[in-house]
Amino acid sequence: MIVRERPSGLRLYFIFKGSMLQSIRWQLVSTVLVAAAVYLTHGMLFAIKITMTPIPFSLIGLALAIFLGFRNNASYERYWEGRKLWGELMIACRTITRQMQTFVTGSGADEARRRMAYRAIAFAHALRHHLRGSDPREEVGALLTAEEFAALEGAVNKPDFLVRRMAADLRGLVGERATNPLFAARIDETLTSFATILAGCERIKQTPIPFSYTLLIHRTAYLYCFMLPFGLVDSIGFMTPFVVGLISYTFFGLDALGDEIAEPFGTLPNDLPLAGICRGIEISIREALGEEGLPEALKPVDFCIL
Amino acid sequence: MIVRERPSGLRLYFIFKGSMLQSIRWQLVSTVLVAAAVYLTHGMLFAIKITMTPIPFSLIGLALAIFLGFRNNASYERYWEGRKLWGELMIACRTITRQMQTFVTGSGADEARRRMAYRAIAFAHALRHHLRGSDPREEVGALLTAEEFAALEGAVNKPDFLVRRMAADLRGLVGERATNPLFAARIDETLTSFATILAGCERIKQTPIPFSYTLLIHRTAYLYCFMLPFGLVDSIGFMTPFVVGLISYTFFGLDALGDEIAEPFGTLPNDLPLAGICRGIEISIREALGEEGLPEALKPVDFCIL
Amino acid sequence: MIVRERPSGLRLYFIFKGSMLQSIRWQLVSTVLVAAAVYLTHGMLFAIKITMTPIPFSLIGLALAIFLGFRNNASYERYWEGRKLWGELMIACRTITRQMQTFVTGSGADEARRRMAYRAIAFAHALRHHLRGSDPREEVGALLTAEEFAALEGAVNKPDFLVRRMAADLRGLVGERATNPLFAARIDETLTSFATILAGCERIKQTPIPFSYTLLIHRTAYLYCFMLPFGLVDSIGFMTPFVVGLISYTFFGLDALGDEIAEPFGTLPNDLPLAGICRGIEISIREALGEEGLPEALKPVDFCIL
Amino acid sequence: MIVRERPSGLRLYFIFKGSMLQSIRWQLVSTVLVAAAVYLTHGMLFAIKITMTPIPFSLIGLALAIFLGFRNNASYERYWEGRKLWGELMIACRTITRQMQTFVTGSGADEARRRMAYRAIAFAHALRHHLRGSDPREEVGALLTAEEFAALEGAVNKPDFLVRRMAADLRGLVGERATNPLFAARIDETLTSFATILAGCERIKQTPIPFSYTLLIHRTAYLYCFMLPFGLVDSIGFMTPFVVGLISYTFFGLDALGDEIAEPFGTLPNDLPLAGICRGIEISIREALGEEGLPEALKPVDFCIL
Amino acid sequence: MIVRERPSGLRLYFIFKGSMLQSIRWQLVSTVLVAAAVYLTHGMLFAIKITMTPIPFSLIGLALAIFLGFRNNASYERYWEGRKLWGELMIACRTITRQMQTFVTGSGADEARRRMAYRAIAFAHALRHHLRGSDPREEVGALLTAEEFAALEGAVNKPDFLVRRMAADLRGLVGERATNPLFAARIDETLTSFATILAGCERIKQTPIPFSYTLLIHRTAYLYCFMLPFGLVDSIGFMTPFVVGLISYTFFGLDALGDEIAEPFGTLPNDLPLAGICRGIEISIREALGEEGLPEALKPVDFCIL
């Protein structure tokens, strides 16, 4: 996530972080070069004048508007649903910690509370690494016992493993009568929230926007931008490369940004700050446990929190 | 579901899998041929010049934009709701397995857990075959006892039969006091989730987008594309077939893709990977049961997971 | 609901069922006649040339796009919400049948189960007739005792009466200790689902899209189509009636279809197949009760299920 | 709410009720007069020809489409959410009546049921008057005891007062063991529904669409319509006032209708029929109590139910 | 929130509060000056005629419509979701107050009720200050004991601290048997609502609309408005600065308004009236406690409630 004040005036044009320029520079350069060539040859290709007017572009524009508008909304919905799921994870972590404090009694209660809360934090870290395909060992290891950590290593789905361990703990508490069945049923509801969050994130990660959309959109946008100079050169002359560059920049930029946020769990600049949220969960839960020496919230590096 | 990296540059134009070209090739060829004929005759039909300008196409474009945009969104929502229902199935399967472990005690508990979990997996397979009209015997048979499988054979609605068997098991557990009523009520909620998923999928499968939309859209799109050459030939001459081809490709492609994902439970390339999700459920539940020798996740064949 | 394969090619133009042509034929004929008259008089009205260009139509098109797009989406949402409510009715019927089997014990349990399940089926039929203003006697009578049926006759709101009878049964079961309070609370939740479905359907039926929208849209669309020939005749000549006919067909067709699906509980071809869903519920619940000789699913008549 | 069949053909133009003409007549008259003046002076203002083409109107049209489309959707969503909340009120009233019958036993049960049900009806009336700023005394007075009514008089938030009284009753029932805690918890859930409906309606009433939108839209729409004649007069001459009138009618009408339904709890013709819904609740609940002499459903007066 | 009647007629143009003019005045002035310069030089830049027609602006308009429409909807959804969360806070506060009255008995009940209700009010104030980064001491201090207030001072997340204190109270009530486990479970659900509201508000505050959208939109809108004079000057001459000013006003105004409501918890004029809602909660809860001398609802200052 890029954390930055909205720039104003001319400074707007001197920002590269968060601009999509980096991802689309080659496409942009090639459309502008084509436009310049078309201007220099007056729209001739192999001595044949390509007769083209702006009309076809209005007509194709219709399809493009549907495509780009649809894809943009679908991408943002995926992004925002991902964010909601991580917000629910914050709720689930705080709730299970609170419920353990309200509902569990007996001699081992403090130990049980701490273990459950640590597993909730470990779930957050494990889910992040699960979604990003990275190694959860360092962060998760510090939160579990060595034995449990070893068992986790062998699990195919690490976050799911942690939910099952929480459930095993709950079962133990019911067995020892440290909580009553009614409270256990409430805690079980919270465990279902963890399962819901996990499956929701997996759904977003595993099922992209159908590939054929991507293909149709890219093809249409590319053809549109490469043909555009032929449609403009007769009316705007030497301004053609400039206008084509501007239009390409908006279309390609919108498209590349859609690509980026449609997979919101990655580590590109506009993706969700999962590490930041995990840290926030850690601070919140440790505070709820009454611990001292809480870690600091993550600070943006080069305007970015990952 | 097509699993493929987004191609870039020229490679974009040499992909056929996932391109809608296959489904729309005849329509595309015929519009291009009509456009070529119109160019060669200079828009004359039986010695009468068809007077046409691009203006009618902007006006019809309005209706087309509403139609295509609407249908595209409606199709994608059906697709995504289908995906969500299958994501909830993953949650329901994991939850019932977890609840059986947390909430059931006594001597027969392990057997009861395994039976319930296997029925959950069988539900997933049976639902997939129910939606695709295929034969569930092979996969479901391995998960049930011979006697239960025989009873299943006679059921009209196989997934519903499995939910009823899970309920019968639950009733047995309550009768034997292997679980308490409160926990049974929680498990019953999970059974309602299975019923919800089943009815949700049946709703999507049985109730298509109203047929009259399909008819209106097809008629409008076809007439638009076949009349378009008359509107363009006077201004862009020999480029007419090319531009008509491009516009037809985007409209027909968008339309065909809408058809494909509006029925997301089929076996076309862009449909949901139900077999892949079933396999994922199987892996997850078997792991939760502590089984060894888990099956592998389905791999894409020719970039496709079904 | 029209059940039909998507036609392709020329056959597309020889389908009348599901085409909106029937509902809009007079409007269509009159716009085409007006257009023909305008062509023949070269846009003169009482010897005065009506000076009109296509420009006003692009400007009005903006308002029309907002109107038609909005109304189309609102209509479809009503349609789909209606369908969802009937999908939830399937869930509620199956769930109450299942819960009666899981949660009720004792000597009268089988009779109580059967009675509750029959009332659920009767609710579906009664709701359909309630929404369609038709006579529920035949179908509902077969599912209730004579005495109960007589009481139903006197009820203002028949589906609500049935929910109250289900509640009375539940109260009896609690009184006889045939179920425990916890399970009764779960069954009561399912009864609330029935109440939710009833009130949801009543909401859709009783509150149409605000009448002023309908009026604004109709007026704008009519004026647009009747004035259009004056804007086109100077540029496209004898093609005017044809183009006006095509544009009118799409606008009036979209509008008429919106009218049809905005009241999804009627008996027009594109309305929801309530009788078909009721039959599906009957089959599913009777199967769950273990009955023999289940009725068949409704078959489309002239491509239509009502 | 306007209750009227959709008119067809010419009759469409002779309906004033439900047409927005009344609210926008002065604006309409002034734009048409301006357009006529512009036509008569050939677009000269103080001897200076205002050079204007239709192009700026297409460009401004873009902003207008976003504004009007957005506002239209936001208004309708507010309207429909308001309707949903009142539909949930019907559910809540029926549910609490049913639950009192299922869950409460003992000698005072009938009295308690009647009192609770009457309070639910009183809640509906009180909420309507709360939202419309009218006097609830007549209708609510008949449903409460004199003493309770006196207490209600002093309450700042009358519907909330009634929920608290229902809660006090529930507490009494628990104290007398007329219901068990589990059933009380279910009834408490229904009370939370009442609280949810109240707060939801208050939210819609207290938080309008941000004022700056209204301002931006009005200014843009007004300037658009008043400048339009200058853009049209050179091409369509004496038709200018007519076309400007038509375009103004659609834009101002859409805008005025948005204003009307964005505050759906008022008493303008297109607002929600709260009195009609209250009457419906009264009939339904009194029937559930087994009362005789039910009131009649409200009939439309001059095609309108308030 | 701006509280103001919709102005009509000419007065519309003499309102500055709520107009976005203040925020966009420099941008507006510079585009108008550029337009005036372009008019005076007849579109020459350094003696070179910038050849430009309106066509590029229709094409870029497509991208702008997608951008602005998307951002506008996304901003408003954030605004309305924020408002919904605060509406749910009203529900949660009323519900916990009601549940304490229904469900808690015993000698210390009154004291416990008052303490819980005060904490709910304190939660509202603390959440507001948490979101606005302001100092909660004055308002929250009056609602807590000195000792509790001191503990609050040290908390990182003050609203969360208050939820944990409510949970500690609940645990005490369960320990003293002042409530039964079933009722405690219901109260715990309400506590989860507080946690949900807190995390929901934090989500909106911490995760803005992706920065790259902001950048793309600003750049496109600025370039569009600064280049526009070159496209218009040849056709509309001295009207250029006026039209450019109008178009810039709508685009920049829409954009600035989007910025304002996308962060709905701030203290700009169109932001949510959090202080007003807090006051409303305070009045409602104090009334429910039967207190006298309720505070007054907040009155708008200069048409504004913060």
Side-chain angles (χ1 to χ4, degrees):
Chain A
M1 190 179 66
I2 301 175
V3 181
R4 192 162 198 173
E5 282 304 295
R6 174 191 161 173
S8 64
L10 279 177
R11 263 171 307 156
L12 197 61
Y13 295 93
F14 296 100
I15 286 181
F16 292 95
K17 186 79 186 184
S19 152
M20 304 308 298
L21 270 182
Q22 201 113 11
S23 343
I24 61 171
R25 60 186 183 278
W26 294 119
Q27 304 165 35
L28 206 54
V29 164
S30 38
T31 52
V32 171
L33 287 181
V34 167
V38 167
Y39 166 64
L40 294 173
T41 63
H42 300 280
M44 309 286 280
L45 202 67
F46 308 117
I48 301 168
K49 169 72 183 173
I50 303 294
T51 52
M52 192 61 108
T53 64
I55 287 159
F57 298 96
S58 310
L59 302 180
I60 304 173
L62 172 64
L64 255 185
I66 296 171
F67 280 141
L68 286 173
F70 158 73
R71 198 177 122 90
N72 195 32
N73 288 329
S75 296
Y76 182 70
E77 266 166 38
R78 291 168 62 88
Y79 174 83
W80 198 236
E81 196 194 347
R83 183 60 186 88
K84 277 192 173 159
L85 287 166
W86 278 81
E88 279 165 34
L89 182 53
M90 175 62 99
I91 302 170
C93 289
R94 283 179 183 160
T95 298
I96 206 162
T97 307
R98 194 190 71 234
Q99 287 176 331
M100 290 297 291
Q101 288 174 336
T102 319
F103 291 156
V104 175
T105 50
S107 57
D110 269 337
E111 175 52 26
R113 279 168 198 151
R114 208 180 139 277
R115 202 166 55 224
M116 192 70 100
Y118 272 40
R119 280 202 189 117
I121 304 175
F123 178 92
H125 286 300
L127 178 57
R128 169 166 55 101
H129 291 292
H130 183 57
L131 295 170
R132 291 188 164 166
S134 51
D135 183 354
R137 258 177 267 181
E138 194 185 343
E139 279 153 311
V140 173
L143 294 157
L144 303 176
T145 62
E147 172 220 29
E148 191 156 276
F149 183 64
L152 178 75
E153 290 276 290
V156 176
N157 190 323
K158 290 179 178 51
D160 189 42
F161 171 86
L162 287 164
V163 178
R164 292 199 308 268
R165 296 303 285 229
M166 293 194 229
D169 264 28
L170 176 58
R171 184 184 167 192
L173 292 170
V174 174
E176 301 161 14
R177 305 197 172 275
T179 190
N180 84 24
L182 228 142
F183 295 155
R186 286 284 301 150
I187 295 176
D188 179 65
E189 267 183 62
T190 310
L191 294 186
T192 301
S193 299
F194 281 99
T196 303
I197 292 159
L198 169 58
C201 289
E202 286 176 343
R203 167 168 52 82
I204 292 176
K205 186 175 165 62
Q206 288 165 6
T207 310
I209 294 176
F211 179 73
S212 300
Y213 274 112
T214 308
L215 203 59
L216 269 171
I217 294 171
H218 284 307
R219 283 187 179 166
T220 309
Y222 270 67
L223 280 172
Y224 184 96
C225 290
F226 281 109
M227 282 168 53
L228 188 54
F230 296 102
L232 293 180
V233 71
D234 290 339
S235 55
I236 64 170
F238 74 95
M239 288 296 285
T240 306
F242 185 70
V243 167
V244 167
L246 177 57
I247 292 177
S248 304
Y249 172 65
T250 56
F251 283 178
F252 292 155
L254 184 57
D255 186 40
L257 182 51
D259 269 8
E260 202 168 313
I261 68 171
E263 310 297 338
F265 302 132
T267 53
L268 293 172
N270 283 298
D271 288 335
L272 288 170
L274 301 192
I277 300 174
C278 281
R279 179 63 63 88
I281 289 173
E282 190 148 4
I283 296 172
S284 194
I285 300 308
R286 283 185 192 276
E287 188 183 15
L289 290 174
E291 294 192 6
E292 302 285 317
L294 304 176
E296 296 247 306
L298 277 195
K299 296 237 158 24
V301 177
D302 189 20
F303 302 109
C304 235
I305 300 184
L306 292 182
Chain B
M1 191 179 65
I2 302 176
V3 181
R4 192 162 196 174
E5 282 304 295
R6 174 190 161 173
S8 65
L10 278 177
R11 264 172 305 157
L12 197 59
Y13 295 93
F14 295 100
I15 286 181
F16 291 95
K17 186 79 188 182
S19 152
M20 304 308 297
L21 270 181
Q22 201 114 11
S23 344
I24 61 171
R25 60 186 184 279
W26 294 120
Q27 305 166 34
L28 205 53
V29 164
S30 38
T31 52
V32 170
L33 288 181
V34 168
V38 167
Y39 167 63
L40 294 173
T41 63
H42 299 281
M44 308 287 280
L45 202 67
F46 307 118
I48 301 168
K49 169 75 183 170
I50 303 293
T51 52
M52 192 62 107
T53 64
I55 288 159
F57 298 96
S58 311
L59 301 181
I60 304 173
L62 171 64
L64 255 186
I66 297 172
F67 281 140
L68 286 174
F70 159 73
R71 198 178 123 91
N72 194 33
N73 287 329
S75 297
Y76 182 70
E77 266 166 38
R78 291 169 62 89
Y79 174 84
W80 198 236
E81 196 194 347
R83 184 59 188 88
K84 276 194 174 159
L85 288 166
W86 278 81
E88 279 165 33
L89 182 53
M90 175 62 100
I91 301 170
C93 289
R94 282 178 182 162
T95 297
I96 207 162
T97 308
R98 194 191 73 233
Q99 288 176 332
M100 290 296 292
Q101 288 174 337
T102 319
F103 290 156
V104 176
T105 50
S107 57
D110 270 337
E111 175 52 26
R113 279 170 197 149
R114 207 181 140 277
R115 203 166 54 224
M116 191 70 100
Y118 272 39
R119 281 204 187 115
I121 304 175
F123 178 92
H125 286 300
L127 179 57
R128 169 165 57 98
H129 291 293
H130 182 58
L131 295 170
R132 291 190 164 165
S134 51
D135 183 354
R137 259 177 266 181
E138 193 185 345
E139 278 152 311
V140 172
L143 294 157
L144 303 177
T145 62
E147 172 219 30
E148 191 155 277
F149 184 63
L152 178 74
E153 290 275 291
V156 176
N157 190 322
K158 290 178 179 52
D160 189 41
F161 171 86
L162 287 165
V163 178
R164 291 200 308 270
R165 296 303 285 228
M166 292 193 228
D169 263 28
L170 177 58
R171 184 184 166 191
L173 292 170
V174 174
E176 302 160 14
R177 304 196 174 275
T179 188
N180 84 22
L182 227 141
F183 295 155
R186 286 284 300 148
I187 294 176
D188 179 65
E189 267 184 63
T190 309
L191 294 186
T192 301
S193 299
F194 281 99
T196 303
I197 292 159
L198 169 58
C201 289
E202 286 176 343
R203 167 166 52 82
I204 292 177
K205 185 175 166 63
Q206 289 166 5
T207 310
I209 294 177
F211 179 74
S212 300
Y213 275 113
T214 307
L215 204 59
L216 269 172
I217 295 172
H218 285 306
R219 283 186 180 168
T220 310
Y222 271 66
L223 280 172
Y224 185 96
C225 290
F226 282 109
M227 284 168 53
L228 189 53
F230 297 101
L232 292 179
V233 70
D234 290 339
S235 54
I236 63 169
F238 76 94
M239 287 297 285
T240 305
F242 184 71
V243 167
V244 168
L246 176 57
I247 292 178
S248 304
Y249 172 63
T250 56
F251 282 178
F252 291 154
L254 185 55
D255 186 41
L257 181 51
D259 269 7
E260 201 167 314
I261 68 171
E263 311 296 340
F265 302 131
T267 52
L268 294 171
N270 283 298
D271 287 334
L272 288 169
L274 300 192
I277 300 174
C278 281
R279 178 64 63 88
I281 289 173
E282 189 147 5
I283 297 172
S284 194
I285 301 307
R286 284 185 192 275
E287 187 183 15
L289 291 173
E291 295 191 5
E292 303 283 317
L294 305 176
E296 294 248 308
L298 278 196
K299 295 237 159 22
V301 176
D302 189 19
F303 301 108
C304 236
I305 299 183
L306 292 183
Chain C
M1 189 180 65
I2 302 175
V3 181
R4 190 162 199 173
E5 282 303 295
R6 174 190 161 173
S8 64
L10 278 177
R11 265 171 305 156
L12 198 58
Y13 295 95
F14 294 100
I15 286 182
F16 291 95
K17 186 79 188 181
S19 153
M20 304 308 298
L21 270 182
Q22 200 114 11
S23 345
I24 62 172
R25 61 185 183 280
W26 294 118
Q27 305 164 34
L28 206 54
V29 164
S30 39
T31 51
V32 170
L33 288 180
V34 167
V38 167
Y39 167 62
L40 294 173
T41 64
H42 299 281
M44 308 286 280
L45 202 68
F46 307 119
I48 301 169
K49 168 75 184 171
I50 303 294
T51 52
M52 192 61 108
T53 64
I55 288 159
F57 297 96
S58 311
L59 301 181
I60 303 173
L62 172 63
L64 256 185
I66 296 171
F67 280 140
L68 286 173
F70 159 73
R71 198 179 122 91
N72 193 33
N73 287 328
S75 296
Y76 183 71
E77 266 166 38
R78 290 168 63 89
Y79 173 85
W80 197 235
E81 196 194 347
R83 183 60 187 88
K84 276 192 174 161
L85 287 166
W86 278 82
E88 279 165 34
L89 182 53
M90 175 62 100
I91 301 170
C93 289
R94 283 178 183 161
T95 297
I96 207 161
T97 307
R98 194 190 72 233
Q99 287 176 332
M100 290 297 291
Q101 287 174 336
T102 320
F103 291 156
V104 176
T105 50
S107 58
D110 270 336
E111 175 51 27
R113 279 170 198 149
R114 207 180 140 277
R115 202 167 54 224
M116 191 70 100
Y118 272 39
R119 284 208 185 109
I121 303 175
F123 178 92
H125 286 300
L127 179 56
R128 169 165 56 97
H129 291 293
H130 182 58
L131 294 171
R132 292 189 164 166
S134 50
D135 184 354
R137 259 177 267 181
E138 194 185 345
E139 278 153 313
V140 172
L143 294 157
L144 303 177
T145 61
E147 172 218 31
E148 191 155 276
F149 183 64
L152 178 75
E153 290 276 291
V156 176
N157 190 322
K158 290 180 179 50
D160 189 42
F161 171 87
L162 287 164
V163 177
R164 291 201 307 269
R165 296 303 286 228
M166 293 194 227
D169 264 27
L170 177 59
R171 185 185 166 191
L173 291 171
V174 174
E176 302 160 15
R177 303 195 176 277
T179 188
N180 84 23
L182 228 141
F183 294 154
R186 285 284 301 149
I187 294 175
D188 180 65
E189 266 183 64
T190 308
L191 294 186
T192 301
S193 299
F194 282 98
T196 302
I197 292 159
L198 169 59
C201 289
E202 287 176 342
R203 168 166 51 82
I204 292 176
K205 184 174 166 63
Q206 289 166 5
T207 309
I209 294 177
F211 177 74
S212 300
Y213 274 113
T214 307
L215 203 59
L216 269 172
I217 294 172
H218 285 306
R219 285 189 179 164
T220 309
Y222 270 67
L223 280 172
Y224 184 96
C225 290
F226 282 108
M227 284 168 52
L228 190 53
F230 297 100
L232 293 179
V233 72
D234 289 339
S235 55
I236 64 170
F238 75 94
M239 287 297 285
T240 306
F242 185 71
V243 167
V244 167
L246 177 57
I247 292 178
S248 304
Y249 171 63
T250 55
F251 282 179
F252 291 155
L254 184 56
D255 187 40
L257 181 52
D259 268 8
E260 200 166 314
I261 67 171
E263 311 295 340
F265 302 132
T267 52
L268 293 172
N270 283 297
D271 287 335
L272 288 170
L274 300 192
I277 300 175
C278 280
R279 178 64 62 88
I281 289 174
E282 191 148 3
I283 297 172
S284 195
I285 301 308
R286 283 186 193 274
E287 187 182 16
L289 290 174
E291 294 191 6
E292 303 284 317
L294 304 177
E296 294 249 308
L298 277 195
K299 296 239 160 20
V301 177
D302 188 20
F303 300 109
C304 236
I305 299 183
L306 291 184
Chain D
M1 188 179 66
I2 302 175
V3 181
R4 191 162 199 172
E5 283 302 297
R6 175 193 161 170
S8 64
L10 279 177
R11 264 170 306 157
L12 197 60
Y13 294 94
F14 295 100
I15 286 181
F16 291 94
K17 186 78 188 182
S19 153
M20 303 309 297
L21 270 182
Q22 200 113 10
S23 344
I24 62 171
R25 60 185 183 279
W26 295 119
Q27 303 165 36
L28 206 53
V29 165
S30 38
T31 51
V32 171
L33 287 181
V34 167
V38 168
Y39 167 62
L40 295 173
T41 63
H42 299 281
M44 309 285 281
L45 202 68
F46 308 117
I48 301 169
K49 169 74 184 172
I50 303 294
T51 51
M52 192 61 108
T53 64
I55 288 158
F57 298 96
S58 312
L59 301 182
I60 303 173
L62 172 64
L64 255 185
I66 296 171
F67 279 140
L68 286 173
F70 159 73
R71 199 179 121 90
N72 194 34
N73 288 330
S75 296
Y76 182 71
E77 266 166 38
R78 290 168 63 89
Y79 174 84
W80 198 235
E81 196 193 347
R83 183 61 187 89
K84 276 191 174 162
L85 287 166
W86 278 81
E88 279 165 32
L89 183 52
M90 176 62 100
I91 301 169
C93 289
R94 283 179 183 161
T95 298
I96 206 162
T97 307
R98 193 189 73 232
Q99 287 176 332
M100 290 297 291
Q101 287 173 337
T102 320
F103 291 155
V104 175
T105 50
S107 57
D110 270 336
E111 175 52 27
R113 279 170 199 149
R114 208 180 139 276
R115 203 167 55 224
M116 191 69 100
Y118 272 40
R119 283 208 186 109
I121 304 175
F123 178 92
H125 286 300
L127 179 56
R128 170 166 55 99
H129 291 292
H130 183 57
L131 294 172
R132 291 188 165 169
S134 51
D135 184 354
R137 260 177 267 180
E138 194 186 342
E139 278 153 312
V140 172
L143 294 157
L144 303 177
T145 62
E147 172 217 31
E148 191 155 276
F149 183 63
L152 178 73
E153 289 276 290
V156 176
N157 190 321
K158 291 179 178 50
D160 189 40
F161 171 86
L162 286 164
V163 177
R164 291 200 308 271
R165 296 302 286 229
M166 293 194 227
D169 264 28
L170 176 58
R171 186 185 165 191
L173 291 170
V174 173
E176 302 159 15
R177 303 197 175 275
T179 189
N180 85 22
L182 227 142
F183 295 154
R186 285 284 301 150
I187 294 175
D188 180 65
E189 266 183 64
T190 309
L191 294 185
T192 301
S193 298
F194 282 98
T196 303
I197 291 159
L198 169 59
C201 290
E202 287 176 343
R203 167 166 52 80
I204 291 176
K205 184 174 165 63
Q206 288 165 6
T207 309
I209 294 177
F211 178 75
S212 299
Y213 274 113
T214 308
L215 204 59
L216 270 172
I217 294 171
H218 285 305
R219 284 187 179 166
T220 310
Y222 271 67
L223 280 172
Y224 185 95
C225 291
F226 283 108
M227 282 168 54
L228 190 54
F230 297 101
L232 292 179
V233 71
D234 290 339
S235 53
I236 63 170
F238 75 94
M239 287 296 285
T240 305
F242 185 72
V243 167
V244 167
L246 176 57
I247 292 177
S248 302
Y249 172 64
T250 54
F251 282 178
F252 291 154
L254 183 57
D255 187 40
L257 181 52
D259 268 9
E260 202 166 312
I261 66 170
E263 310 296 340
F265 302 133
T267 53
L268 293 172
N270 283 297
D271 287 335
L272 288 170
L274 300 192
I277 300 173
C278 281
R279 179 64 62 88
I281 288 173
E282 190 148 4
I283 296 171
S284 193
I285 302 306
R286 283 187 193 274
E287 187 183 16
L289 289 174
E291 295 191 5
E292 304 284 317
L294 304 177
E296 294 249 307
L298 277 195
K299 296 237 159 24
V301 177
D302 189 20
F303 301 108
C304 236
I305 300 184
L306 291 183
Chain E
M1 189 179 65
I2 301 176
V3 181
R4 192 162 198 172
E5 282 303 295
R6 175 192 160 171
S8 64
L10 279 177
R11 263 172 306 157
L12 197 61
Y13 295 93
F14 295 100
I15 286 181
F16 291 95
K17 186 77 186 186
S19 152
M20 304 309 297
L21 271 182
Q22 200 113 11
S23 344
I24 61 171
R25 60 186 184 279
W26 293 119
Q27 303 165 35
L28 206 53
V29 164
S30 38
T31 52
V32 172
L33 287 181
V34 167
V38 168
Y39 167 62
L40 294 174
T41 62
H42 299 280
M44 310 285 280
L45 201 68
F46 309 117
I48 301 168
K49 169 74 183 170
I50 303 295
T51 51
M52 192 61 108
T53 64
I55 288 159
F57 297 96
S58 311
L59 302 181
I60 303 174
L62 172 65
L64 255 185
I66 297 171
F67 280 140
L68 286 173
F70 159 73
R71 199 178 121 90
N72 194 33
N73 288 329
S75 296
Y76 182 70
E77 265 166 40
R78 291 168 63 89
Y79 174 84
W80 197 236
E81 195 193 348
R83 183 60 187 88
K84 277 192 173 160
L85 287 167
W86 278 82
E88 279 165 33
L89 182 52
M90 175 62 99
I91 301 169
C93 289
R94 284 179 182 160
T95 297
I96 206 161
T97 308
R98 194 190 71 233
Q99 287 176 331
M100 290 297 291
Q101 288 174 337
T102 319
F103 291 155
V104 174
T105 50
S107 58
D110 270 337
E111 175 53 27
R113 279 169 198 150
R114 208 181 138 277
R115 203 166 55 224
M116 191 70 99
Y118 273 40
R119 281 206 187 112
I121 305 175
F123 178 92
H125 286 301
L127 179 55
R128 169 166 55 100
H129 291 293
H130 183 59
L131 294 170
R132 291 187 165 169
S134 51
D135 183 354
R137 259 177 269 180
E138 195 186 341
E139 279 152 311
V140 173
L143 294 157
L144 302 177
T145 62
E147 172 219 30
E148 191 155 276
F149 184 64
L152 179 74
E153 290 276 290
V156 175
N157 190 322
K158 290 179 179 51
D160 189 41
F161 171 86
L162 287 164
V163 177
R164 291 199 309 269
R165 296 302 285 229
M166 294 193 227
D169 264 28
L170 177 58
R171 185 185 166 192
L173 292 169
V174 174
E176 302 160 13
R177 304 197 174 274
T179 189
N180 85 22
L182 227 142
F183 296 153
R186 286 283 302 150
I187 295 176
D188 179 65
E189 267 183 63
T190 309
L191 294 186
T192 301
S193 298
F194 282 99
T196 303
I197 292 159
L198 169 59
C201 289
E202 286 175 343
R203 168 167 51 81
I204 292 175
K205 186 177 165 61
Q206 288 166 6
T207 310
I209 295 176
F211 178 74
S212 299
Y213 275 113
T214 307
L215 204 58
L216 269 172
I217 294 171
H218 285 306
R219 284 186 179 166
T220 309
Y222 270 67
L223 280 172
Y224 185 95
C225 291
F226 281 108
M227 283 168 53
L228 189 54
F230 296 102
L232 292 179
V233 71
D234 290 339
S235 54
I236 64 169
F238 74 95
M239 288 296 285
T240 306
F242 185 71
V243 167
V244 167
L246 177 57
I247 292 177
S248 303
Y249 172 64
T250 54
F251 283 177
F252 291 155
L254 183 57
D255 186 40
L257 182 52
D259 268 9
E260 203 167 311
I261 67 170
E263 310 295 339
F265 302 132
T267 53
L268 293 171
N270 284 298
D271 287 335
L272 288 169
L274 300 192
I277 300 174
C278 281
R279 179 65 61 89
I281 289 173
E282 190 148 4
I283 296 172
S284 194
I285 301 307
R286 283 186 192 275
E287 188 183 15
L289 289 174
E291 294 191 6
E292 302 284 317
L294 304 176
E296 295 248 306
L298 277 196
K299 296 236 157 25
V301 176
D302 188 19
F303 301 108
C304 235
I305 300 184
L306 291 182

